[in-house]
Amino acid sequence: MAGAAITFTALYLAAGALTPLLVFYKEQWDFAPSLLALAFAVYAVGFLAAVLTVGSLSDHIGRRPVLIGALVIQIASNLTFLAASGVGWVIAGRIIQGVASGAATAAFTAALVELAAPNRKRLGTILGSVGLTGGLGFGSLLAGLAIQLTPAANSVIFVVLTIVTILGTVLVVLSPETATRVPGALHSLVPRIAFPPATRREFAAAAPVVAAVWMLAGLSGGLAPSMVRSVFHLNSGLLNGVAGFVAPATSAVVGLAFARVDSRRAMTWGIYTSIAGAIGIITGVLAGSLAVMIIGQAIAGIGFGAAFTAALQLIFPLAAPHQRAGVVAAIYLVSYLALGIPVVIAGQLSGPIGEVPAVTSYTAVTVVLAFVSLIAQLRLKRRTHA
């Protein structure tokens, strides 16, 4: 289980490492800010393509074949970044990286629970949650350190990650299969997005804030690191890494802390803190204070951890067992579209209207979306008490 957790975390360490590395690539190859935003966002395309098709494949053919395939794809992604000589390579590597993560996430999450001892199943779930968000955060921080301390950061990062992924692949090959094969593998490849009637009210109430917190995550990963230099005029790989680290690291801790809190209360707190975090980010950008922006990102990370965890807890149990894969797919669809598309739009707008107005407008949209969810949650709460 420990080896599987480390291997799973390595997938997201690689995804997080690109947060400061994209800024490094931009300085090295001098491409447009819009291409930087695109290079960040195409990860969501690969992820969604994989999770909507092979996301439930491991339930039918077993965890090991899916994990081995996903890890081989991840190694190909790492090698693409090692060989990269221009932004086209980076975009291709990000798509491949997204496919690997999308294919592996459901299978690894299930395998971690199944590998855990009977009295430690919750530990498997925790390792899956922390591996994802914690990996993104620490990947960004460690890559920032590598950029700051070595002239060959790209090589150092992806050689180490490739070695770890190869060792993880060997471990998966040697590990026992944890799932029983069942028929229906080909049918499982057909994308299924479900909005069962029992879930629609909760889904509609949660979707705007889910989009808002994932947009704020996109800002932290796709826009904030480049702003360290372009807006705050600080040339530091470490600060680029910190800008990408603080939100996912905070959300990882808070997501665990709020797992036992009443879901409706956690959702409300998540909405309030996401609004406060967005306002903090806008204030930092307009005031020219990196410290204030990072504090805003940390508060937004609290909102992400609370609101997204609560959304899953409020929506998922309302679906029948045969509908749950489609409901999860619907939640991921909202999440990753919000992670990718707005960042690309903001990148395109940063040229004509300027980076500060583009980021300010982007963040203001998240405030509006959060308020929409707040109104919907209050209505649901009143209906429950009526």
Side-chain angles (χ1 to χ4, degrees), residues 24 53 55 65-66 98 110 123 148 169 179 205-206 245 253 264 267 283 297 300 314 321 333 340-341 345 347:
F24 174 78
T53 53
V66 173
L123 176 60
Q148 192 74 26
T169 306
F245 161 78
V253 174
R264 190 73 65 197
M267 172 62 79
T283 302
Q297 288 179 263
L314 287 167
L333 183 66
I341 293 174
I345 294 171

Side-chain angles (χ1 to χ4, degrees), residues 263-283:
S263 300
R264 190 73 65 197
R265 180 178 299 176
M267 172 62 79
T268 305
W269 275 102
I271 292 171
Y272 284 133
T273 49
S274 67
I275 292 170
I279 292 171
I281 291 168
I282 291 172
T283 302

Side-chain angles (χ1 to χ4, degrees), residues 22 84 152 164 213-214 232 250 333:
L22 286 174
V164 171
V213 297
W214 280 82
F232 302 105
T250 305
L333 183 66

